[in-house]
Amino acid sequence: METSELLKKVRRIEIKTRGLSRNIFAGQYHSAFKGRGMAFSEVREYQYGDDIRDIDWNVTARYIRPYVKVFEEERELTVMLLIDVSGSRDFGSVNVMKKEIMTEIAATLAFSAIQNNDKIGVIFFSDKVEKFIPPQKGRKHILYVIRELIDFQPEDRQTDISQVLKYLTNAIKKRCTAFLISDFINKDSFKDALTVANRKHDMVAIQVYDQRETELPSVGLMKIKDAETGKEQWIDTSSSRVRQAYKEWWEKRQEAMDTTFKKCRVDSVSIRTEDDYVKSLMALFEKRN
């Protein structure tokens, strides 16, 4: 992508996602992700927007003014974005590709983190770790992250979620909140790696998928191509049996994914490319409060 075109795209996404994180998420992100299993550090006077569940009633009674407990990580969380850059993200049947929605979601979370004075880092992955951007603060860092989200070109096109989870577990020593953003088109189970990662970190899974991936249209013979392997084949979509088999495959795959998240005790949300991802993220945040 040309530099001028890339910068325009970065600016567009910055304006949209910074506004969303500032005006819509405000305190929701903060209350959903701070202080989970964190060490108590000190108390300070209550400020507007603080979670009333953090009020220290003994200190409040002593000073006759509300005081809240401050947790060590509340002052500086580390947020990691694990972004799937495999071939299947380059798909979209409506007006937008999965890749674009993943980029906007990641940018919105990044701005939410920065406004909360958190560090933000990124790991791009396919069937290997493609790129690691260490956690930092500041607008300059965020803009670099957004530029990479838009323009990064992976070496491989297949997916192995276990690899990125193992990398996260080993690379980030201090407990962090990690958003795993993917379509979860993954051939092998990643349950064991997710269990281990979630013991050390606070894992959150965000699935982005396209409506066309859930069922086949009845349009006769159709040539389909696996975006990750490049394999092509013809299928007869006029056959109700073929369409039903595909629909059942999709539902079974979703069920297996949801079961994995539940067993690993990982909060998750599934977002279609045509959905309002803001509502979906808000519901995710509220679920965690």
Side-chain angles (χ1 to χ4, degrees):
M1 193 181 291
E2 286 183 19
T3 306
S4 59
E5 189 189 338
L6 177 60
L7 289 173
K8 278 181 193 166
K9 257 196 159 182
V10 170
R11 185 71 182 133
R12 239 186 349 257
I13 286 178
E14 182 196 7
I15 290 167
K16 180 176 181 179
T17 56
R18 187 175 58 181
L20 287 174
S21 61
R22 180 180 293 156
N23 302 325
I24 299 173
F25 294 141
Q28 264 100 344
Y29 164 90
H30 182 69
S31 58
F33 297 104
K34 74 170 175 62
R36 296 211 146 209
M38 307 300 175
F40 168 69
S41 176
E42 60 188 18
V43 293
R44 62 163 168 76
E45 266 198 79
Y46 176 87
Q47 295 170 2
Y48 179 75
D50 284 339
D51 192 331
I52 59 168
R53 290 173 296 184
D54 290 338
I55 290 177
D56 186 316
W57 294 106
N58 291 329
V59 178
T60 297
R62 194 180 313 146
Y63 291 100
I64 323 176
R65 283 197 310 274
Y67 275 77
V68 292
K69 294 176 182 176
V70 179
F71 296 89
E72 193 63 42
E73 263 82 347
E74 183 186 343
R75 287 182 270 177
E76 189 182 281
L77 276 173
T78 296
V79 176
M80 291 300 302
L81 303 176
L82 279 50
I83 312 289
D84 182 350
V85 291
S86 62
S88 59
R89 72 184 177 140
D90 295 321
F91 178 77
S93 63
V94 195
N95 301 318
V96 66
M97 289 197 294
K98 288 188 282 186
K99 173 186 174 180
E100 293 169 62
I101 298 298
M102 286 179 181
T103 296
E104 287 196 17
I105 289 170
T108 304
L109 292 170
F111 275 113
S112 298
I114 289 293
Q115 282 168 31
N116 201 43
N117 202 34
D118 297 336
K119 287 181 179 176
I120 188 90
V122 183
I123 306 174
F124 292 108
F125 72 94
S126 54
D127 57 355
K128 66 179 185 182
V129 170
E130 295 271 355
K131 182 165 187 169
F132 172 54
I133 302 175
Q136 286 184 43
K137 295 182 183 182
R139 181 174 177 269
K140 188 178 175 185
H141 177 64
I142 285 280
L143 294 182
Y144 168 61
V145 165
I146 293 173
R147 198 164 65 239
E148 288 297 297
L149 285 167
I150 294 169
D151 210 35
F152 182 76
Q153 298 299 318
E155 289 180 7
D156 292 355
R157 295 186 64 80
Q158 298 193 45
T159 314
D160 189 343
I161 292 170
S162 291
Q163 290 300 318
V164 72
L165 292 170
K166 287 172 186 172
Y167 185 89
L168 173 76
T169 302
N170 294 325
I172 307 297
K173 302 302 178 191
K174 187 179 171 185
R175 181 176 171 84
C176 75
T177 294
F179 293 94
L180 178 55
I181 305 174
S182 174
D183 55 14
F184 293 93
I185 296 176
N186 196 77
K187 289 180 174 63
D188 301 316
S189 171
F190 51 89
K191 179 175 171 287
D192 291 346
L194 185 58
T195 301
V196 173
N198 198 46
R199 277 195 204 118
K200 184 175 180 182
H201 302 297
D202 180 13
M203 297 297 306
V204 183
I206 299 175
Q207 182 196 30
V208 176
Y209 69 98
D210 190 276
Q211 178 62 31
R212 181 52 65 223
E213 292 174 310
T214 69
E215 54 189 355
L216 293 171
S218 179
V219 291
L221 277 176
M222 177 192 280
K223 191 179 192 179
I224 60 169
K225 180 179 180 179
D226 188 316
E228 300 197 358
T229 64
K231 187 181 174 185
E232 295 181 338
Q233 70 178 98
W234 288 92
I235 56 170
D236 182 8
T237 62
S238 62
S239 164
S240 59
R241 198 178 80 248
V242 168
R243 293 198 306 275
Q244 185 60 28
Y246 181 87
K247 189 179 180 186
E248 285 172 7
W249 167 81
W250 169 265
E251 288 170 355
K252 198 173 174 183
R253 202 180 70 81
Q254 287 293 99
E255 196 179 311
M257 181 190 73
D258 290 338
T259 301
T260 295
F261 294 147
K262 284 192 179 87
K263 283 185 176 173
C264 296
R265 297 184 178 179
V266 167
D267 289 327
S268 66
V269 64
S270 290
I271 302 171
R272 288 190 311 184
T273 50
E274 67 263 43
D275 285 347
D276 179 353
Y277 65 82
V278 172
K279 283 184 183 172
S280 300
L281 290 177
M282 292 282 279
L284 173 69
F285 290 1
E286 283 163 15
K287 189 165 69 176
R288 292 173 61 91
N289 280 326

